Amino acid sequence: MSQCTARTTTRTAPTTASAFAATLTGLVTLVGVAALGGCTADPVPPTVDRPLVQAEEVHSVSLGIETITDTEKDWDAVREHLDAAHVNMVTLAAGRVEFVAFDWEAHPDAVAEEGTDHLARAIDELAQSPDGEQRRVDLLIDALIPAWIKKDPSVGGVGEDGSRSEYTPSASAIHDGPVGARFLELVEELARRYQPDQITFTELKFDDETFGEDDAALYREMTGEDDWPREADGSIHQDAPEIGEWRSQVLADFLDQASAVLDDVAADTGKRTNLGMDVLINWEDPVKGVPDAGLSYPLLAGAADRLVLWGYLGIGDHSPQELEQVLAELAGSDLPMEQFIVSVGLWDHSQPDDSISAGLMAGGVRAAGTNGVTAVNVTPFTLMTPEHWSALNEVWTTLPPTTPSVQTSPSEGSG
């Protein structure tokens, strides 16, 4: 079913860790933002017809939008790195709803390069290992919308002081507004065109900008409360747990809608793409997640197939031992460890090259694969030096096999 004809309503400034977000902010200004109306009336035929595959163990590397859209990229060199590191999944940046790495007919103003499908090219180049075995393919959607907000400020989040976010949409714009609708349209487009094993949202979280009038109305509707929690002086109690729980429910409801879209696609194609969600780590209280950002793990785990933990050691100066302890605490909870992917980020803006060392990365990758976690990602490709690749090759010494997914029905993902 096309997302245009049926949509079920269920009722953040970028992090310094996201080089993808920063790069895309610069790129998107070149193309503007697509008109708010319009979508594809009929199901999109597949651009890439590929089998879905599963793997008991996942070795993944992320390639950002700057790599995917690079017309001079040496794909042979990229493959050589992935092959040597025994990578069996690639996470490829699809873009934002206002800047995509393919020729999106419904929204031509959002296209990186007219008439060019960078994403199909990347999948064609990277979706197989040297012996012809299929790699898993994960397509990444960045949820920041700076160009859209600049064009139409009403979709941006609003702080208690009335200031408007430059990057993140409001809760209501996501939950039952135009931004959420466009996100769902992109999910359907990607699932039908590329038949990926997974589609993951990144930067889909809140800062302190969920206090506009529309969001206040949504809070009252969803919670039954008459007003925000208040401090004694009358100001909003922004750290109240009720607000974090509400924000997390907003995102969980949206993910339910995205999952329903993927179910609809699977009903037509027989191929059910997994839904992933990037989440911050709560280094102090891991099991709690980060509900203030809308990232309560228990709530989101019920809506997404995979939660991708940001194991970014260089942001906040964390160690592999701390990461392993976080995973140990999660393993001691009721959360399903098989649902987690741990992404080891290389960013460290305190260093001259903006990256953690190869040794620290290797330690992070080893720690990430403990306490029942079987899926580990390294990001981003652009910060990987020869030293980083060499260190990764010593950690990932064998290629985990992939096999055709045995279950691709709407009720279950592809592993």
Side-chain angles (χ1 to χ4, degrees):
M1 180 182 298
S2 172
Q3 189 59 32
C4 292
T5 56
R7 175 175 176 238
T8 302
T9 300
T10 321
R11 232 59 119 210
T12 62
T15 66
T16 55
S18 180
F20 169 60
T23 300
L24 199 47
T25 297
L27 290 173
V28 74
T29 58
L30 300 178
V31 298
V33 63
L36 299 186
C39 56
T40 306
D42 299 313
V44 177
T47 300
V48 176
D49 189 4
R50 57 179 302 275
L52 300 191
V53 293
Q54 59 190 356
E56 293 184 1
E57 182 178 357
V58 172
H59 297 169
S60 174
V61 170
S62 292
L63 287 79
I65 196 75
E66 68 282 0
T67 300
I68 302 302
T69 58
D70 183 356
T71 57
E72 298 182 359
K73 176 55 60 182
D74 183 349
W75 292 108
D76 289 337
V78 175
R79 280 195 303 275
E80 288 176 8
H81 284 308
L82 299 180
D83 297 345
H86 302 103
V87 170
N88 69 345
M89 183 170 94
V90 286
T91 295
L92 309 176
R96 296 175 179 162
V97 291
E98 58 189 32
F99 185 86
V100 293
F102 62 93
D103 203 1
W104 196 0
E105 183 178 354
H107 301 287
D109 291 342
V111 173
E113 185 176 354
E114 184 179 358
T116 302
D117 192 333
H118 296 284
L119 207 49
R121 172 67 184 273
I123 293 171
D124 182 60
E125 294 284 358
L126 304 178
Q128 287 189 354
S129 63
D131 59 3
E133 186 170 291
Q134 293 289 325
R135 287 193 174 103
R136 287 176 58 81
V137 172
D138 175 22
L139 301 183
L140 192 69
I141 298 174
D142 185 323
L144 300 179
I145 56 164
W148 191 341
I149 293 172
K150 187 174 182 179
K151 184 180 181 69
D152 178 10
S154 70
V155 299
V158 178
E160 183 179 7
D161 62 359
S163 61
R164 183 80 62 174
S165 171
E166 296 181 9
Y167 295 94
T168 58
S170 67
S172 55
I174 294 172
H175 191 267
D176 49 19
V179 176
R182 184 68 60 82
F183 285 164
L184 297 179
E185 187 182 347
L186 181 54
V187 167
E188 181 178 3
E189 185 83 11
L190 294 175
R192 290 190 183 277
R193 286 180 66 139
Y194 304 108
Q195 302 179 351
D197 301 283
Q198 183 166 308
I199 294 173
T200 299
F201 278 94
T202 189
E203 301 285 359
L204 185 57
K205 56 186 176 62
F206 299 115
D207 292 316
D208 296 324
E209 292 140 341
T210 60
F211 298 116
E213 292 183 6
D214 289 346
D215 285 354
L218 181 63
Y219 179 80
R220 293 192 296 269
E221 176 186 338
M222 291 179 64
T223 65
E225 299 293 336
D226 294 330
D227 192 11
W228 301 111
R230 297 282 176 176
E231 302 279 10
D233 63 3
S235 62
I236 298 173
H237 183 193
Q238 296 193 25
D239 296 328
E242 297 93 330
I243 293 179
E245 188 78 3
W246 166 71
R247 287 171 173 167
S248 297
Q249 190 62 58
V250 167
L251 295 186
D253 285 355
F254 169 74
L255 292 175
D256 281 339
Q257 295 177 52
S259 183
V261 169
L262 293 176
D263 286 347
D264 286 345
V265 173
D268 292 340
T269 67
K271 299 177 181 180
R272 177 41 161 88
T273 295
N274 276 348
L275 179 63
M277 174 71 169
D278 278 12
V279 294
L280 303 172
I281 285 179
N282 184 336
W283 296 91
E284 304 300 325
D285 188 0
V287 178
K288 182 180 178 181
V290 190
D292 286 351
L295 304 177
S296 166
Y297 298 169
L299 275 176
L300 300 184
D305 299 297
R306 290 282 203 170
L307 298 183
V308 184
L309 294 168
W310 280 8
Y312 295 174
L313 304 182
I315 307 299
D317 193 23
H318 298 288
S319 68
Q321 292 75 22
E322 288 177 90
L323 179 57
E324 187 169 347
Q325 180 59 36
V326 163
L327 299 180
E329 293 191 36
L330 291 175
S333 73
D334 294 331
L335 293 168
M337 296 305 289
E338 68 275 7
Q339 201 167 342
F340 287 109
I341 299 174
V342 180
S343 183
V344 178
L346 303 187
W347 296 279
D348 184 350
H349 299 309
S350 69
Q351 300 300 314
D353 56 1
D354 289 332
S355 174
I356 62 175
S357 69
L360 183 57
M361 177 211 67
V365 172
R366 290 190 180 94
T370 62
N371 294 287
V373 174
T374 59
V376 179
N377 180 64
V378 176
T379 182
F381 178 86
T382 51
L383 288 181
M384 292 287 286
T385 66
E387 291 75 22
H388 286 91
W389 285 114
S390 179
L392 187 60
N393 298 351
E394 293 179 6
V395 180
W396 289 345
T397 57
T398 58
L399 178 67
T402 59
T403 57
S405 294
V406 295
Q407 174 60 273
T408 56
S409 74
S411 61
E412 191 170 336
S414 58

